Amino acid sequence: MQLHIPQVLTADQLGHFQTRLDQADWQDGRITAGYQSAQAKQNRQLRESDPLAIELGGIVEAAVLGHPTFFSAALPRHIYPPLFNRYGIGEQFDYHVDNAVRYDRRRQPPLPVRTDLSCTLFLSEPDSYDGGGLVIRDRYGTHTVKLPAGDLLLYPATSLHKVEPVTRGARTACFFWLQSMVRQDSQRELLFELDVNIQTLTAQDHADPAVLLNLTGIYHNLLRQWVGE
């Protein structure tokens, strides 16, 4: 499931991010890539240990965990610390699949995080740069995504994806991965659709309380069955 989640960051947060990142110490983006990905990657990135990356990453993590749509769709168990990248003119990241496991070194010993879902939080307005689309291949075809600044795309980390070459301006984004409580994408999608419909019924004055109670029970019993260890 691919899901566009709008306005994850407020306008004030977004302005703060853009100002701070314009003055950031950008490094070669291959510092976090595996061997094969490094061959396809041309961009700049903040070091994971950069105080700015840690500060802004904490804001992103709090924002997504407090966002009801994100939480309902992702059912996060562990979030890998958010990272930040920038693509200038001529920079790109060709097709690749994200590493299956990453180690959260905020924990000691480092915590292995299975990357079930990938997240891209756009920080540049789409009309401020040309190219730079996030292209995702999945079983339904190929999709190119450029979202408004502050909006997030959630998608399976198993997807083959790339960032197209930037031909004007600069594309700045935050990206991260998470391990979900529910490993299977198809199960998460069913739970999300059920939760959305329960919330829709709850908002209706004429909704039958008995039906809502039954649907809520079904949701939690499925969640209980599908949550992994």
Side-chain angles (χ1 to χ4, degrees):
M1 174 178 66
Q2 291 183 35
L3 184 64
H4 170 195
I5 304 177
Q7 299 179 338
V8 169
L9 296 180
T10 67
D12 286 345
Q13 287 174 326
L14 188 58
H16 175 70
F17 275 49
Q18 291 168 340
T19 299
R20 299 292 303 281
L21 290 170
D22 280 344
Q23 304 166 2
D25 181 20
W26 295 101
Q27 305 288 315
D28 189 325
R30 289 173 292 184
I31 55 177
T32 60
Y35 173 76
Q36 295 210 352
S37 292
Q39 312 309 305
K41 189 175 186 180
Q42 298 173 337
N43 68 1
R44 289 161 289 158
Q45 195 166 305
L46 295 189
R47 297 186 311 275
E48 293 189 47
S49 59
D50 189 314
L52 180 60
I54 295 170
E55 174 196 336
L56 298 186
I59 296 172
V60 170
E61 193 166 347
V64 297
L65 288 176
H67 197 293
T69 302
F70 179 91
F71 196 92
S72 176
L75 295 170
R77 181 189 294 275
H78 301 298
I79 292 181
Y80 188 83
L83 303 171
F84 296 85
N85 61 19
R86 175 167 286 189
Y87 292 79
I89 294 174
E91 294 181 320
Q92 63 177 318
F93 195 170
D94 209 350
Y95 276 118
H96 61 285
V97 174
D98 293 328
N99 293 345
V101 177
R102 289 186 173 266
Y103 287 86
D104 184 351
R105 303 190 185 279
R106 295 176 299 184
R107 313 283 187 90
Q108 291 301 323
L111 175 72
V113 178
R114 187 184 67 236
T115 57
D116 296 323
L117 289 163
S118 295
C119 306
T120 298
L121 175 60
F122 290 76
L123 299 174
S124 300
E125 294 294 353
D127 61 0
S128 69
Y129 62 98
D130 292 333
L134 174 60
V135 181
I136 302 172
R137 284 185 186 172
D138 59 23
R139 64 182 182 274
Y140 301 113
T142 302
H143 319 271
T144 302
V145 182
K146 285 181 71 172
L147 299 183
D151 288 14
L152 179 143
L153 186 73
L154 180 72
Y155 60 100
T158 53
S159 305
L160 191 66
H161 58 283
K162 70 175 182 178
V163 175
E164 296 175 314
V166 169
T167 58
R168 177 184 66 87
R171 173 198 189 271
T172 305
C174 171
F175 65 101
F176 57 98
W177 303 270
L178 64 89
Q179 179 174 331
S180 177
M181 291 186 285
V182 176
R183 183 171 187 168
Q184 295 297 324
D185 183 58
S186 58
Q187 294 172 346
R188 285 194 308 271
E189 186 169 2
L190 285 172
L191 287 166
F192 178 62
E193 291 178 358
L194 182 55
D195 190 27
V196 168
N197 281 280
I198 289 171
Q199 297 306 318
T200 300
L201 284 174
T202 300
Q204 297 177 359
D205 293 335
H206 60 274
D208 186 333
V211 172
L212 279 172
L213 181 62
N214 287 336
L215 288 175
T216 302
I218 290 169
Y219 174 88
H220 284 286
N221 286 330
L222 286 173
L223 184 62
R224 185 176 292 110
Q225 179 176 335
W226 289 340
V227 165
E229 296 297 329

